[in-house]
């Protein structure tokens, strides 16, 4: 009965991250440096708020856009943190994680034959949705620009078909972010054109070298901001994301969201209010630890002779595989996990422009990091 399946769905594949993880999940004694989620527990006060919500029977549907209490908390959060101004009654939607926010946004704004400009390498969660909408992903190779996705790189790819530019920063898989002047340049060039910006800012609270700036502070009327609590408050399983945009856009996205999930989890919404209010600075301790780990990993990679751009944020390194290895990224990662019992993610999982690299996550303890990097070093020494 496969002939009855939508051809656009048949043409996409399971994420390369998941595909590789599933392939090596049966191997014993593996140190995993693949994980894309914080290794910290959800803060206790946030968990208690979730428990209280259950005990008080807050277990029914909420408003499709989320409880007004949470939308107000989310609007206050981005105002205090990033100077953004959104009306909680009409410009904020609570979603089932940032992933659903990305999905409903792209399904709302894209049409058959339109184009989406996005950097490469990039998180694999955008392209399948773009293709299922009948649109065309246009990847821009950022490898020779220290993975920075700047206006000068974008300009040559703008066409009459360009509907959206995706700006994910800090980036997964590179950890590279954009500064205020770079964002302002993009905003000024796009302003007034029939182009929307999808700013995926899920790692906005985990920046090391500079305070996060949202491009919406320069171009609110054409920007859809995606954020959430998975990374900032270690709430990946709670599945709470946020979408901020002008009412002229959200009123249409809300229709797609409504028919997709009705509303986000009511219990998780109560916990999210606690996270955004009493826990407004919960990310600071995690950020300090990630910065310490980043510096340690960078020093270790440098001492091994490996080429990697020092991340501005998030918790990943995107590392170039030395030429003397003679393996592509999938082969390298598979051999590393079999021979050294260390799991990383092949760069090819992050578009064709990730080939020749691997992603290493430092969202794990110092003990695990040291052991994993020791094994990686021993593995590399066998090739020298």
């Amino acid at each position: 009965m496969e002939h009855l399946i939508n051809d656009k769905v048949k043409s996409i594949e399971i994420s390369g991250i998941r595909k590789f993880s599933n392939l090596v999940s049966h191997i014993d004694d593996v140190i995993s440096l693949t994980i894309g989620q914080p290794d910290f527990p959800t803060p206790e006060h946030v968990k208690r708020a979730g428990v209280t919500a259950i005990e008080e029977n807050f277990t029914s549907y909420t408003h499709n856009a989320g409880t007004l209490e949470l939308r107000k908390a989310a609007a206050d959060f981005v105002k205090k943190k990033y100077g953004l101004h959104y009306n909680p009654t009409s410009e904020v939607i609570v979603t089932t994680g940032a992933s659903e926010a990305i999905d409903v946004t792209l399904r709302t704004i894209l049409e058959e034959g339109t184009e989406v400009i996005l950097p490469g390498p990039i998180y694999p969660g955008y392209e399948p949705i773009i293709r299922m909408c009948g649109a065309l992903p246009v990847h821009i190779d950022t490898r020779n620009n220290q993975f920075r996705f700047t206006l000068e790189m974008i300009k040559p790819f703008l066409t009459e078909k360009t509907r959206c530019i995706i700006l994910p920063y800090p980036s997964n898989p590179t950890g590279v972010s954009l500064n205020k002047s770079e964002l302002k340049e993009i905003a000024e060039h796009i302003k007034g054109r029939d182009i929307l910006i999808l700013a995926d800012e899920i790692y906005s609270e985990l920046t090391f070298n500079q305070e996060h700036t949202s491009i919406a502070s320069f171009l609110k009327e054409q920007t859809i901001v995606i954020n959430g609590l998975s990374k900032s408050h270690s709430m990946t399983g709670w599945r709470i994301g946020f979408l901020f945009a002008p009412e002229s856009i959200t009123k249409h996205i809300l229709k797609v969201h409504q028919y997709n999930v009705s509303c986000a989890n009511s219990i998780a919404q109560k916990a999210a209010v606690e996270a955004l209010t009493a826990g407004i600075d919960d990310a600071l301790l995690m950020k300090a630890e990630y910065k310490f780990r980043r510096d340690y990993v960078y020093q270790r990679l440098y001492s091994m002779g490996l080429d990697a751009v020092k991340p501005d944020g998030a918790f990943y390194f995107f590392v170039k595989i030395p030429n003397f290895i003679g393996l592509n990224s999938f082969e390298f990662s598979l051999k590393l996990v079999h021979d050294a019992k260390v799991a990383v993610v092949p760069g090819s999982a992050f578009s064709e422009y990730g080939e020749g690299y691997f992603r290493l996550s430092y969202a794990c303890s110092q003990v695990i990091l040291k052991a994993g990097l020791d094994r990686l070093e021993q593995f590399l020494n066998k090739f020298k």
Side-chain angles (χ1 to χ4, degrees):
M1 303 299 283
E2 190 173 339
H3 65 285
L4 301 178
I5 302 300
N6 185 320
D7 284 340
K8 290 185 176 70
V9 175
K10 284 195 287 188
S11 68
I12 65 174
E13 297 184 1
I14 297 295
S15 156
I17 302 173
R18 295 294 180 187
K19 188 184 295 184
F20 188 79
S21 296
N22 294 340
L23 187 65
V24 303
S25 60
H26 66 284
I27 302 175
D28 295 329
D29 191 33
V30 169
I31 293 175
S32 178
L33 303 181
T34 64
I35 196 161
Q37 67 175 355
D39 60 313
F40 300 91
T42 301
E44 285 297 323
H45 68 103
V46 176
K47 290 192 288 186
R48 286 196 299 272
V51 172
T52 300
I54 295 173
E55 292 174 341
E56 294 181 353
N57 295 314
F58 192 74
T59 54
S60 301
Y61 292 125
T62 71
H63 188 289
N64 293 131
T67 65
L68 184 55
E69 179 188 27
L70 179 52
R71 283 179 280 149
K72 286 179 177 177
D76 287 344
F77 185 89
V78 296
K79 180 181 178 181
K80 292 174 183 174
K81 292 284 187 176
Y82 316 123
L84 302 178
H85 297 269
Y86 289 98
N87 184 336
T89 64
S90 59
E91 296 184 321
V92 182
I93 301 175
V94 182
T95 60
T96 304
S99 296
E100 194 237 335
I102 293 166
D103 176 44
V104 295
T105 295
L106 293 175
R107 288 200 285 138
T108 300
I109 68 175
L110 298 183
E111 295 176 290
E112 198 84 27
T114 52
E115 296 177 350
V116 179
I117 294 176
L118 61 172
I122 191 171
Y123 172 70
Y126 310 104
E127 182 174 345
I129 303 169
I130 294 167
R131 292 195 180 279
M132 283 191 286
C133 292
L136 179 69
V138 180
H139 289 94
I140 297 178
D141 185 357
T142 64
R143 290 174 296 183
N144 292 327
N145 196 39
Q146 298 284 290
F147 302 120
R148 306 192 74 80
F149 190 42
T150 59
L151 175 61
E152 290 307 308
M153 305 193 75
I154 294 170
K155 274 184 181 179
F157 293 87
L158 292 171
T159 73
E160 291 183 355
K161 294 182 179 179
T162 303
R163 178 65 57 85
C164 177
I165 299 171
I166 295 180
L167 294 179
Y169 62 101
S171 161
N172 173 9
T174 68
V176 170
S177 196
L178 296 174
N179 62 41
K180 186 177 292 187
S181 62
E182 290 168 332
L183 292 164
K184 188 176 182 181
E185 282 185 352
I186 295 171
E188 289 177 347
H189 190 76
I190 299 302
K191 186 177 178 64
R193 297 171 181 251
D194 290 333
I195 298 172
L196 293 168
I197 302 283
L198 191 161
D200 185 350
E201 303 180 14
I202 191 67
Y203 293 97
S204 61
E205 283 295 281
L206 302 179
T207 58
F208 309 129
N209 304 329
Q210 61 194 9
E211 291 299 316
H212 178 80
T213 299
S214 176
I215 193 169
S217 61
F218 306 115
L219 192 64
K220 177 185 175 181
E221 64 274 17
Q222 289 172 241
T223 300
I224 300 152
V225 176
I226 308 295
N227 215 313
L229 299 178
S230 290
K231 317 302 181 181
S232 62
H233 289 76
S234 195
M235 294 177 67
T236 52
W238 296 79
R239 309 311 302 134
I240 291 292
F242 302 108
L243 187 154
F244 304 91
E247 183 180 2
S248 60
I249 298 172
T250 57
K251 69 181 183 181
H252 296 295
I253 294 177
L254 185 60
K255 292 181 284 188
V256 182
H257 166 75
Q258 172 200 341
Y259 290 116
N260 191 8
V261 298
S262 292
C263 63
N265 180 296
S266 61
I267 297 157
Q269 287 191 58
K270 277 292 188 183
V273 172
E274 176 72 13
L276 293 174
T277 53
I280 188 169
D281 289 324
D282 278 352
L284 294 180
L285 289 176
M286 287 191 288
K287 183 165 76 169
E289 177 61 22
Y290 288 138
K291 185 176 186 297
F292 176 82
R293 295 176 190 175
R294 179 201 64 169
D295 293 344
Y296 169 73
V297 174
Y298 184 73
Q299 180 272 322
R300 289 294 307 273
L301 294 175
Y302 181 81
S303 71
M304 295 179 209
L306 292 173
D307 181 10
V309 174
K310 195 172 188 178
D312 300 311
F315 35 66
Y316 309 108
F317 273 90
F318 207 56
V319 186
K320 189 170 179 56
I321 299 169
N323 292 331
F324 63 79
I325 298 292
L327 301 171
N328 66 32
S329 63
F330 189 87
E331 293 167 342
F332 172 85
S333 302
L334 198 59
K335 188 169 181 61
L336 179 64
V337 78
H338 281 296
D339 293 4
K341 299 295 183 73
V342 177
V344 294
V345 181
S348 56
F350 304 96
S351 84
E352 63 181 295
Y353 298 116
E355 182 53 70
Y357 294 80
F358 65 88
R359 190 191 76 176
L360 181 156
S361 169
Y362 51 94
C364 49
S365 72
Q366 186 74 10
V367 172
I368 292 174
L369 273 178
K370 183 181 184 307
L373 291 167
D374 287 347
R375 291 185 185 185
L376 173 63
E377 186 169 21
Q378 292 164 10
F379 175 79
L380 293 173
N381 285 339
K382 293 179 182 178
F383 287 87
K384 294 179 179 178

